[in-house]
Amino acid sequence: MKNRIIDAIGNIDDELLEATDALRASNKRKNSAIIKWLAAAACVCLAAVSISLVFPRKAASDNRVQIWKDGYSAEDYFKNTAVSTDIMAEEKSDIAVPYAERRYFSDNRQQYEADGVIPVKDKNRRFTALANYNEDGSLYSLELAWHYDSQIENYSHLSVLAGLKEVPEINDCIFIETDENGNVVKPGLTVTERDGIKIIARGGRADKSISFQNASGWYRISGSWNDSYEAVTELFEWFWAHPVNFDDFTIEKGDNYTQTGLTDYLNLLSDEGSDSEDFIFSAFLPDFKRFGYVIAGNSLGMKNNEPVSFNVSVLSNLTQEEADAGEYTVGQNGCEMIDWTIDSEAFEGDTEGVKKLEELTRDSVLSLKPADEVTTQTRIRYIQEGCLVTIYTTDVELAWELIESIR
Amino acid sequence: MEDSEIVELYWKRDEQAIRETEKKYAAYLKRIAANVLYDFEDCKECVNDTYLAAWNSMPEHRPGVLSTYLGKLVRQISIDRFRKNTSKKRHASEYELSISEMEDCVAAGNSPEEELDVKLLSEAINSFIHTLKAEERHIFIGRYYYFDSVKKIAGYCKSSEAKVKTTLYRLRQKLKDYLVKEGFDL
């Protein structure tokens, strides 16, 4: 019942929300000034720590540096950890993305594991590898992440941020840890010297990371709230022993994902399109025109200039001219919208439990409920020839007719 | 870019709409998600899902105030994510704390009333909020819609934390009485 009340509160009138939101925003602006001041203070502290690292013999905090030895454990690396009870999210400021291009390397997981580029982490099934590049094509940063979220008790997100030199934070939202009295708690800082290199470990609930710069580059290894210090340390030890060869991640070697405007593909969506056989996703789409639908919009996801996903939105009870001119209101005068997406690269975790197209039944589709109260749209998903098809619709009966036509 | 221009981009199915939304509202949406969810990665994913939901719902929707509309989307998506994730309670987010406070209003646990029509309940709660003074409304909405902490509410309502806590307690009792009076079996 209390869940129902929280859901019902989600439908509070907009004008009431706007008034409270305005009050919250006015206070936030003042807080932002404090946060910026705190950030500036933190920078001063960081600068002081950096100076102490660069000039260890002259710095007063020299006694904080621990010396690594055989058998050094995660507990040693994270000797100074902070205990906080709460985390607040605060807007930092608008920060422009400092890189010009991005490429993906996630498909190479097995090869990287075989070649010893990355460690094997079977439990964290979702792997992302991407690199960001400067305008001249040189590497700006490399991001690797191993993720697991199917069960909250085993949630894990381990990541590596690396570059030839230190990569600055570009988050537009920062998280501040506080104690039970609301006082800001900074992650505990532990510095270890190992083979002449300073290793900086930050220990807290939100920030659990190890960073260092060696001859190969700069690294920051991080873990989520649910990852142990041991897991972070284990990943650190891997990259300490297996430095990244950044030449493996040049812009030419990565996968380039783009979205196209699709004007050229419009005619291919009907059986009247002379080249429909050439369109890779033709077999996945019903003949919308035969059912009286017109195209509202579409987009084709490309990977290295090859189609990998497709999205089309269609409208009923309209002419194409009316749809193009935007002269319609969905839900009025019989005008309904259906959104159809085909993804040939869906992550296996997203397709678990999703039935195949041939296994769908009318009853199972019609029994689906709207995904949420706001959009009132129902989501229908199925697997067709290895692709994940997702349909959003306000009219499940109509959607079922369309699905049946392609079975 | 003005909200109306961003909404127009959605209606034209121009993907620039998502980029403009992200530019203007990413931090705002992350704050709402962070009040519900503990994990930052989950927050980011919920905010990304919000962009998708906005893309899928405009058209048909043409929101007057985009921030409020997006706020509703991210709130619901984050709550759904929280419910999906949480088979065992591990960490107390503001969402969890605020929902546990609601036990003052209703019996805890599942009951036949779980089937209660959310729309009817929504109408009753809207009517209830309209009966409150402005400060009480801000405190109630801040806590149970945006899941702000008591400390934060005290900040923007220029009040003490003790007073906010007292007001919230009183409001929960009032809400309970109001819903019973309206015929809801709690």
Side-chain angles (χ1 to χ4, degrees):
Chain A
M1 181 62 184
K2 59 189 177 181
N3 277 336
R4 293 275 167 181
I5 289 192
I6 290 289
D7 287 344
I9 290 171
N11 297 325
I12 289 175
D13 290 343
D14 285 357
E15 69 267 24
L16 294 172
L17 298 177
E18 286 158 23
T20 302
D21 209 20
L23 187 68
R24 296 169 79 238
S26 66
N27 189 65
K28 182 180 72 64
R29 280 192 285 276
K30 288 172 196 162
N31 279 346
S32 293
I34 296 169
I35 295 298
K36 280 172 188 164
W37 185 89
L38 280 175
C43 288
V44 171
C45 292
L46 191 59
V49 170
S50 303
I51 289 167
S52 74
L53 297 179
V54 175
F55 307 107
R57 289 179 187 178
K58 294 176 183 174
S61 58
D62 199 16
N63 57 357
R64 292 176 60 186
V65 178
Q66 305 184 130
I67 305 300
W68 179 87
K69 57 188 175 190
D70 280 343
Y72 208 69
S73 67
E75 202 175 303
D76 296 321
Y77 278 114
F78 289 96
K79 187 179 176 188
N80 305 317
T81 58
V83 178
S84 58
T85 58
D86 194 12
I87 298 171
M88 293 190 300
E90 290 291 349
E91 188 174 352
K92 199 172 176 183
S93 62
D94 292 330
I95 297 173
V97 175
Y99 50 82
E101 293 280 342
R102 170 172 280 188
R103 295 290 183 274
Y104 288 81
F105 299 82
S106 310
D107 290 353
N108 303 338
R109 180 178 190 169
Q110 288 182 332
Q111 188 62 47
Y112 290 156
E113 288 175 351
D115 294 347
V117 176
I118 59 170
V120 176
K121 292 201 167 293
D122 288 337
K123 286 182 182 172
N124 293 36
R125 294 187 300 171
R126 196 190 291 258
F127 173 70
T128 307
L130 62 90
N132 302 309
Y133 304 90
N134 300 309
E135 281 189 6
D136 63 2
S138 60
L139 186 87
Y140 174 78
S141 64
L142 173 69
E143 300 177 30
L144 308 171
W146 295 259
H147 192 76
Y148 179 85
D149 66 359
S150 296
Q151 297 165 304
I152 189 69
E153 57 268 34
N154 295 323
Y155 179 93
S156 174
H157 186 89
L158 292 162
S159 61
V160 176
L161 177 64
L164 292 170
K165 58 183 182 180
E166 183 169 353
V167 181
E169 292 271 9
I170 55 169
N171 291 333
D172 58 0
C173 191
I174 57 173
F175 294 89
I176 299 164
E177 300 187 40
T178 59
D179 64 17
E180 57 191 7
N181 298 315
N183 300 315
V184 175
V185 176
K186 290 180 184 171
L189 196 70
T190 309
V191 182
T192 300
E193 186 175 320
R194 178 172 173 179
D195 301 342
I197 292 169
K198 298 290 190 300
I199 298 159
I200 301 168
R202 291 174 187 278
R205 285 172 83 182
D207 188 352
K208 197 179 286 176
S209 65
I210 297 180
S211 52
F212 65 95
Q213 168 91 49
N214 64 13
S216 72
W218 176 87
Y219 300 79
R220 188 177 68 223
I221 290 93
S222 307
S224 74
W225 57 271
N226 204 37
D227 286 304
S228 63
Y229 290 120
E230 286 77 11
V232 176
T233 306
E234 186 183 311
L235 193 57
F236 153 74
E237 292 288 357
W238 169 275
F239 283 97
W240 180 266
H242 303 82
V244 171
N245 178 3
F246 290 101
D247 289 340
D248 289 340
F249 298 94
T250 56
I251 194 166
E252 297 80 17
K253 292 178 182 171
D255 292 322
N256 188 16
Y257 284 86
T258 52
Q259 296 281 331
T260 73
L262 295 184
T263 312
D264 295 342
Y265 290 86
L266 283 174
N267 290 333
L268 303 177
L269 298 177
S270 164
D271 58 1
E272 292 176 11
S274 57
D275 299 326
S276 60
E277 293 302 316
D278 297 337
F279 184 57
I280 190 169
F281 293 123
S282 291
F284 295 76
L285 295 162
D287 183 354
F288 290 116
K289 197 174 259 185
R290 184 162 70 82
F291 282 87
Y293 286 92
V294 295
I295 309 298
N298 48 48
S299 66
L300 184 66
M302 309 282 274
K303 176 183 177 184
N304 304 328
N305 296 319
E306 292 291 329
V308 289
S309 64
F310 183 67
N311 169 268
V312 57
S313 299
V314 295
L315 296 161
S316 59
N317 277 327
L318 283 182
T319 64
Q320 188 64 58
E321 290 71 28
E322 287 171 327
D324 291 343
E327 294 168 354
Y328 58 88
T329 303
V330 175
Q332 288 184 13
N333 303 321
C335 175
E336 296 292 342
M337 175 179 274
I338 294 183
D339 195 79
W340 209 284
T341 302
I342 304 141
D343 187 355
S344 65
E345 291 199 321
F347 170 64
E348 63 181 72
D350 294 336
T351 59
E352 276 176 4
V354 179
K355 289 182 177 173
K356 291 181 179 172
L357 171 63
E358 53 272 25
E359 293 169 347
L360 284 188
T361 63
R362 184 175 188 276
D363 288 346
S364 67
V365 171
L366 297 193
S367 65
L368 293 169
K369 298 271 188 265
D372 68 69
E373 295 285 332
V374 179
T375 64
T376 67
Q377 291 186 326
T378 299
R379 183 181 70 175
I380 304 166
R381 292 192 301 170
Y382 58 82
I383 307 290
Q384 183 181 359
E385 294 176 33
C387 295
L388 176 65
V389 179
T390 307
I391 301 162
Y392 281 91
T393 178
T394 50
D395 191 331
V396 186
E397 289 255 19
L398 279 173
W400 171 248
E401 279 184 41
L402 292 168
I403 293 168
E404 255 202 328
S405 74
I406 56 172
R407 295 219 295 173
Chain B
M1 187 177 273
E2 293 296 317
D3 280 2
S4 57
E5 293 174 285
I6 299 175
V7 171
E8 205 51 47
L9 288 175
Y10 277 108
W11 275 69
K12 287 178 181 169
R13 309 306 288 166
D14 185 335
E15 287 169 15
Q16 186 64 22
I18 292 177
R19 287 189 282 276
E20 294 297 337
T21 305
E22 186 174 17
K23 200 189 292 179
K24 191 167 179 182
Y25 289 116
Y28 169 80
L29 297 174
K30 278 180 196 168
R31 278 199 304 279
I32 295 176
N35 280 349
V36 178
L37 297 159
Y38 185 87
D39 186 78
F40 312 145
E41 294 303 323
D42 277 355
C43 292
K44 282 185 199 168
E45 285 184 23
C46 283
V47 171
N48 286 334
D49 288 349
T50 303
Y51 300 143
L52 182 65
W55 178 259
N56 288 331
S57 60
M58 289 187 279
E60 67 199 84
H61 291 275
R62 193 184 275 281
V65 179
L66 189 57
S67 61
T68 308
Y69 181 71
L70 295 170
K72 278 192 171 184
L73 288 175
V74 76
R75 179 185 187 273
Q76 190 60 51
I77 288 168
S78 303
I79 290 173
D80 288 346
R81 170 68 68 103
F82 179 89
R83 287 174 184 164
K84 184 183 159 200
N85 282 355
T86 314
S87 53
K88 290 179 185 174
K89 281 191 179 182
R90 300 185 67 83
H91 296 282
S93 68
E94 287 303 329
Y95 169 72
E96 263 188 302
L97 294 173
S98 64
I99 198 173
S100 69
E101 289 169 13
M102 275 297 167
E103 286 175 8
D104 286 357
C105 287
V106 297
N110 295 330
S111 72
E113 288 77 31
E114 284 285 334
E115 302 305 319
L116 196 62
D117 189 334
V118 172
K119 281 189 180 168
L120 283 176
L121 195 54
S122 300
E123 285 167 16
I125 289 174
N126 259 314
S127 303
F128 167 75
I129 295 172
H130 277 286
T131 68
L132 303 178
K133 294 174 193 165
E135 189 188 30
E136 290 177 327
R137 275 186 216 161
H138 295 318
I139 291 174
F140 186 88
I141 292 171
R143 184 62 177 158
Y144 300 118
Y145 183 88
Y146 289 106
F147 307 116
D148 288 335
S149 66
V150 169
K151 181 184 171 65
K152 188 169 181 178
I153 295 169
Y156 60 71
C157 285
K158 302 199 172 23
S159 184
S160 68
E161 288 183 49
K163 190 186 170 193
V164 170
K165 281 182 187 171
T166 309
T167 305
L168 283 170
Y169 176 76
R170 215 177 55 246
L171 288 173
R172 291 195 297 272
Q173 298 304 318
K174 273 175 85 170
L175 175 62
K176 183 181 180 181
D177 294 344
Y178 185 88
L179 292 177
V180 169
K181 197 175 150 193
E182 290 294 308
F184 291 94
D185 185 10
L186 305 176

